[in-house]
Every structure is written in structure tokens, then in C-alpha cells.
Amino acid sequence: MRIIVFGANGPTGRLLTEQALGHGHDVVAVTRKPFEFPLAHDRLTVFEGDVLRPDAVDSAIAGADAVLSTLGVPFGKREITTYSAGSANILAAMHRHGVRRLVVVSSSAVDPKPYSDAGILFNRILQPYVARVLGRTLYDDMRRMETLVEGSDLDWTIVRPSGLYDLPTVTDYTMAAGHIDRRFTARVDLAASLLRLAEEEQFVREVVSVVTVTDNPSMAQLLRREAFNK
């Protein structure tokens, strides 16, 4: 397949690109900073482009078999439009070029639900604070993105991982439609699930959760590794 990866220079995007090349696919890694992209391969094209520029998106998507979006932006108080505006450009380009398969990364925080193993502190204080205060503008834009994608006639899948962290190798992760009662997703498993969705075309026009069921960090470890270090 010829796979286009938006957000390719982020942590998940790099893992996805590497895994896709390992599966024998041709990959177009779209990034605003190609000189910072760490991978090189004879089946890899590092494409300098901004998802907010329709002309760049159109050029990147031409000839694609599948489009995978791992776009990511940091929390901020100002309005965020990268997810929705970027997805609008991707959808328009896919329609122009007749590309059908789209997989986009969202977040479980878009529709937060309590977790049975999390306790009162997480369910009633920490999760609401992250979803509704710290990350409000980001998750509002993810919701707009999801609405745009769900309203299209493409063969889309929206993937909602939980708290992201790093593991060295892919695990026996779980993917299912709807909500899964687990709080953590390793980035390497998220990347593997995105590639699997592109290859096997499962969960077409569904919202799915992806979670890692082994080697999960504690909440304190996750905050220390992922939040405070950044």
C-alpha cells in the first residue's frame, strides 16, 4: 500500500511510519520540519507540508491507498483548530483523489467516562480537570474533527486511545468499538492499531478504543514521565 501519515514527526507518527515500512508499505511522512525527521528508507518519502495548507495536503494525498492522521498539538488556552481545519483539508483532498480509507487519532478525553479501577481522585477530579480545563480547547477541536469525519462518506475510523506512554515493543493490546474500561495506551500499540486498521479495514465508520493491557504505569508514573518531563 501507499500510506500517507500526517503528524508523522510526532512520537506516534514516527512509530507508525517505522512499522508501516517494516510491513513493506510505501510511506509518505508529512511534516512541517522534514530536516528533523529521523527515519530514512528507500520506500519512504519525507514530504514537507502543513496540514493547514490545502495545496500541500492535496499534493501529499495524490496516489494514496490510505491516509492515517496522528496529528498532535500541546494544550493551550487559545483556540485550537489544527484537528478540525486539518481534517477538513484531508477530507477534501481525499474526495478529489478518490481515496477512501481514513484513520484518525482522537482521544478518550473527548467523551470522558469513569474507570472502575481509577478511584474518586481520578474520576471526579483529575480526569474532569484535564478534559474540561487544562485540555478544553484541544478536546473541543477534536470533537469538531470527529464531527467532520463522521459526516463524510469515506471509509473512516476514529481511534480514541487513553493516557499515552512509551513501551519498547508492541504488546497484546485490545481494540474494540466504543469505550474500554482501561486508562492507558502505549504509543507503540496505538501505532500498531492504526496500521492494522489500514491493512485489514476493520471497524469501518466506527469509533474505537485502543488500550494496552500489560505493563501499565501508575498514574503518578504517567504524570511524571509524560506531563512533567514535557
Side-chain angles (χ1 to χ4, degrees):
M1 300 174 65
R2 182 175 176 84
I3 295 174
I4 317 303
V5 179
F6 287 91
N9 215 7
T12 302
R14 292 179 179 182
L15 290 167
L16 172 59
T17 299
E18 186 174 28
Q19 291 180 17
L21 291 169
H23 282 219
H25 302 296
D26 294 329
V27 180
V28 177
V30 184
T31 172
R32 292 182 295 113
K33 299 178 180 180
F35 49 88
E36 293 183 358
F37 198 71
L39 303 177
H41 197 281
D42 58 3
R43 282 185 278 100
L44 171 65
T45 299
V46 181
F47 184 96
E48 182 176 3
D50 189 333
V51 74
L52 299 180
R53 289 183 49 197
D55 57 337
V57 174
D58 190 85
S59 297
I61 285 177
D65 295 303
V67 177
L68 308 180
S69 173
T70 63
L71 293 174
V73 297
F75 292 155
K77 293 182 179 180
R78 295 183 179 181
E79 183 181 8
I80 292 172
T81 61
T82 301
Y83 298 100
S84 57
S87 294
N89 290 336
I90 290 171
L91 291 168
M94 290 180 69
H95 279 109
R96 279 193 295 272
H97 291 286
V99 182
R100 298 293 308 169
R101 188 61 171 136
L102 172 66
V103 184
V104 302
V105 175
S106 184
S107 170
S108 61
V110 165
D111 184 23
K113 291 180 170 59
Y115 294 90
S116 61
D117 68 336
I120 293 175
L121 178 62
F122 180 86
N123 286 326
R124 295 190 181 180
I125 299 176
L126 183 58
Q127 180 175 244
Y129 176 74
V130 172
R132 300 170 188 169
V133 180
L134 186 63
R136 180 183 61 81
T137 56
L138 185 150
Y139 297 124
D140 282 349
D141 195 41
M142 278 189 170
R143 292 184 190 95
R144 291 191 289 268
M145 174 190 71
E146 289 195 3
T147 298
L148 287 170
V149 171
E150 290 175 335
S152 76
D153 62 355
L154 300 178
D155 297 332
W156 55 265
T157 304
I158 294 169
V159 180
R160 290 178 178 171
S162 296
L164 292 171
Y165 69 105
D166 291 322
L167 283 179
T169 58
V170 178
T171 74
D172 187 18
Y173 63 88
T174 296
M175 178 166 57
H179 174 71
I180 301 176
D181 190 21
R182 287 183 178 270
R183 291 183 286 162
F184 303 104
T185 308
R187 290 184 178 88
V188 68
D189 289 340
L190 174 58
S193 73
L194 299 174
L195 183 57
R196 176 177 158 193
L197 287 166
E199 292 175 335
E200 301 178 6
E201 295 197 4
Q202 298 177 316
F203 301 107
V204 173
R205 298 190 182 181
E206 291 191 87
V207 178
V208 303
S209 296
V210 176
V211 295
T212 300
V213 297
T214 60
D215 295 327
N216 289 161
S218 68
M219 182 52 62
Q221 289 171 329
L222 183 68
L223 290 173
R224 184 166 59 249
R225 293 175 187 173
E226 303 299 327
F228 298 145
N229 286 345
K230 295 178 182 179

